[in-house]
Amino acid sequence: MAEKLSAVKGMNDIAPPVSAHWEWLEDTLRSLMRRYGYRNVRTPIVEPTALFIRGLGEVTDIVEKEMYSFEDRLNGEQLTLRPENTAGVVRAAVEHSMLYDGGKRLYYMGPMFRHERPQRGRYRQFHQFGAEALGFAGPDVDVELIVMACDLWAELGLEGIELEINSLGQPAERLAHRQALIGYLEEHADLLDEDARRRLHSNPLRILDTKNPAMQAMVNGAPHLMAFLGAESLDHFNRLRALLDAQGIAYRINPRLVRGMDYYNLSVFEFVTTQLGSQGTVCAGGRYDGLFEQIGGKAAPAVGWALGMERILELLKEQRRLPEPVAPDAYAVIPDVSALSVAMPLLRQLRAQGVSVAMHAGGAEGMGSMKSQFKKADASGARYALVFGAQELEQGMVAFKSLRGDRAAETGQQLQPLAEVAAWGPGLRGF
Ligand code: ATP
Ligand code: MG
């Protein structure tokens, strides 16, 4: 036997029955987007590496050490499997002049790739669902996006997801804060871990986000960016807060909230839960007014968020909110291969009526015993077995046998005329 192959570490297969949970979550998301007027955009999974270097920033974790980058063997192009999709969506918006007639509300979903240490809630291929509002300066649309996420938690039945917000101000304000921050961190150089020392001059803001307990007290005392914000930035933030307050959306201001990409300014936010261990951020986003220009487009304000589908599904599981598996309406029991030519077209007609029917499939040896067929029918969870017995077929009939019998009228077996198949749909779909 040839050597067995397995999936790449940190990359998962999603198969039944779990894939049904994914489809349900995707359906819920699509329905929500439709109601908020966000439309689907699909961009390639592979992008030029330069898009992420320019878009996300050279000294971000993602660009420094998490990207799957490679050279196209055939033409030498530098390519990368997308680690996130905001840069790709903005590239597409610029390339196709999507903002020529005003703002656009877009959403995407699909796999992203980051070379991280695999653990619960952290994978190398993971899936994001993202919503982006391009061409709007906010803060109204920032709040729209936040509220949309809150609606999602409610529709999924999720509890205990908390909103944290912050403002990153504008680049000049960040620069002034950055200098003050570096000064403070240098004063406490003895407390910095290796990671922090490495980031001291490249990305000091990110040090505030450290998970190292030994550094908590020190970073708690660091200068807050909020204190460096000018009137306009503060006004944007205060208007955002007022709109959240007006809708009764609870939040916590987290002055240490920063994001992993360089492109953010003004509003940033995260939805966090304590129920997923250390990977508690389920959705994160913010405003990125500089990104269009950074990747070579005409300046345009924009804001968006992305949620981690695996983490949402994990939380749904934790809170027992995942839907029950959906069983077929009926299972076709075919005692003998000779019945197939009658049964198969009839099942097709049922499916055209919206009935879901699983057909018993046999093999070279025939269809298998009635006992084994009924066992499979039962296991399928179907409400009815449709039995295509030779005797019944001769009389132009099929037997409906109730497998669930939760109502008196449904127990036992009834014969239904084949000629009336066109009227079976509602009864079989029923309930
Ligand atoms: P973290 O701090 O957890 O690494 P991040 O800041 O890198 O998160 P974003 O790039 O903002 O995350 O991505 C948005 C969301 O995508 C995250 O909040 C999280 O739910 C999810 N996510 C990010 N990286 C991964 C991963 N490697 N595996 C699974 N989900 C992820
Ligand atoms: Mg990360």
Side-chain angles (χ1 to χ4, degrees):
M1 249 198 304
E3 195 195 332
K4 251 199 227 155
L5 294 169
S6 25
V8 174
K9 190 173 174 219
M11 305 198 181
N12 301 307
D13 300 309
I14 301 163
V18 172
S19 51
H21 302 152
W22 283 77
E23 291 188 312
W24 168 75
L25 175 58
E26 289 159 6
D27 289 347
T28 308
L29 282 160
R30 282 198 187 97
S31 149
L32 181 70
M33 291 303 125
R34 187 179 50 74
R35 283 172 281 144
Y36 270 87
Y38 285 66
R39 294 180 298 165
N40 187 219
V41 59
R42 301 174 190 220
T43 58
I45 285 174
V46 178
E47 293 276 2
T49 302
L51 173 66
F52 302 113
I53 295 179
R54 273 163 62 188
L56 275 53
E58 203 134 13
V59 295
T60 53
D61 279 356
I62 293 180
V63 172
E64 272 184 342
K65 52 184 192 205
E66 295 176 358
M67 293 206 303
Y68 284 91
S69 298
F70 57 97
E71 185 182 294
D72 185 320
R73 270 196 299 165
L74 302 178
N75 61 11
E77 273 184 279
Q78 298 301 318
L79 303 175
T80 292
L81 300 184
R82 64 184 187 193
E84 58 90 77
N85 206 30
T86 299
V89 168
V90 169
R91 180 205 43 74
V94 171
E95 190 166 336
H96 307 292
S97 309
M98 285 187 204
L99 300 189
Y100 78 96
D101 61 348
K104 286 280 173 298
R105 290 175 165 88
L106 300 172
Y107 78 85
Y108 61 81
M109 59 176 126
M112 307 296 157
F113 303 84
R114 297 183 194 176
H115 197 100
E116 305 197 68
R117 191 170 67 76
Q119 52 193 293
R120 182 187 184 199
R122 195 174 287 289
Y123 310 98
R124 289 181 175 172
Q125 175 176 322
F126 63 101
H127 297 76
Q128 281 185 340
F129 180 99
E132 316 280 3
L134 308 180
F136 302 95
D140 49 2
V141 82
D142 313 36
V143 173
E144 172 180 282
L145 278 156
I146 291 173
V147 168
M148 190 163 75
C150 294
D151 286 354
L152 178 64
W153 316 143
E155 284 179 25
L156 294 172
L158 288 174
E159 287 170 357
I161 298 181
E162 296 186 347
L163 171 62
E164 296 191 346
I165 63 171
N166 190 20
S167 175
L168 297 184
Q170 298 295 8
E173 294 156 355
R174 274 216 298 283
L175 195 67
H177 168 254
R178 183 189 151 101
Q179 271 145 11
L181 181 62
I182 292 176
Y184 174 88
L185 293 169
E186 278 172 340
E187 275 169 43
H188 298 85
D190 51 319
L191 291 172
L192 299 181
D193 61 17
E194 198 190 309
D195 217 30
R197 239 169 295 188
R198 189 171 52 79
R199 285 171 168 157
L200 180 57
H201 291 279
S202 61
N203 198 356
L205 205 58
R206 190 77 178 165
I207 298 177
L208 301 183
D209 203 24
T210 179
K211 289 172 179 118
N212 181 350
M215 286 172 54
Q216 292 307 313
M218 188 273 293
V219 294
N220 279 336
H224 284 171
L225 175 53
M226 200 63 77
F228 291 77
L229 298 191
E232 268 183 48
S233 295
L234 282 174
D235 181 55
H236 196 279
F237 190 54
N238 290 333
R239 279 158 58 215
L240 175 114
R241 290 182 57 190
L243 285 171
L244 289 174
D245 292 339
Q247 294 177 76
I249 306 279
Y251 57 85
R252 187 167 51 238
I253 298 175
N254 176 357
R256 276 168 49 197
L257 177 63
V258 295
R259 307 278 319 114
M261 289 70 137
D262 275 1
Y263 53 58
Y264 288 106
N265 69 316
L266 296 174
S267 326
V268 288
F269 50 87
E270 282 192 1
F271 287 93
V272 296
T273 167
T274 52
Q275 278 179 295
L276 293 177
S278 53
Q279 315 312 327
T281 305
V282 291
C283 175
R287 181 157 281 287
Y288 49 91
D289 297 335
L291 185 57
F292 273 78
E293 270 182 305
Q294 223 166 300
I295 66 169
K298 192 163 144 265
V303 55
W305 53 243
L307 61 81
M309 306 266 287
E310 282 84 354
R311 292 186 195 177
I312 296 293
L313 286 162
E314 184 78 23
L315 192 60
L316 285 160
K317 189 170 162 201
E318 199 72 35
Q319 298 188 7
R320 299 180 197 285
R321 289 292 178 179
L322 289 169
E324 291 298 316
V326 181
D329 298 313
Y331 189 97
V333 169
I334 321 248
D336 188 81
V337 285
S338 60
L340 281 169
S341 52
V342 179
M344 290 184 80
L346 193 127
L347 299 182
R348 261 181 106 185
Q349 273 181 277
L350 289 180
R351 291 169 185 139
Q353 295 173 45
V355 179
S356 73
V357 202
M359 185 187 83
H360 186 83
E365 310 295 320
M367 300 305 292
S369 72
M370 289 290 270
K371 192 170 165 223
S372 72
Q373 293 203 34
F374 271 104
K375 227 169 137 182
K376 287 232 166 92
D378 253 328
S380 77
R383 273 195 309 276
Y384 290 99
L386 308 184
V387 190
F388 291 83
Q391 251 183 341
E392 289 87 348
L393 288 179
E394 252 168 52
Q395 302 164 34
M397 299 287 204
V398 170
F400 280 30
K401 192 172 181 320
S402 172
L403 298 172
R404 292 288 166 268
D406 31 344
R407 282 200 255 157
E410 287 158 20
T411 51
Q413 182 164 311
Q414 319 164 348
L415 292 182
Q416 295 285 344
L418 285 172
E420 285 169 26
V421 57
W424 291 1
L428 288 174
R429 263 186 284 123
F431 305 88

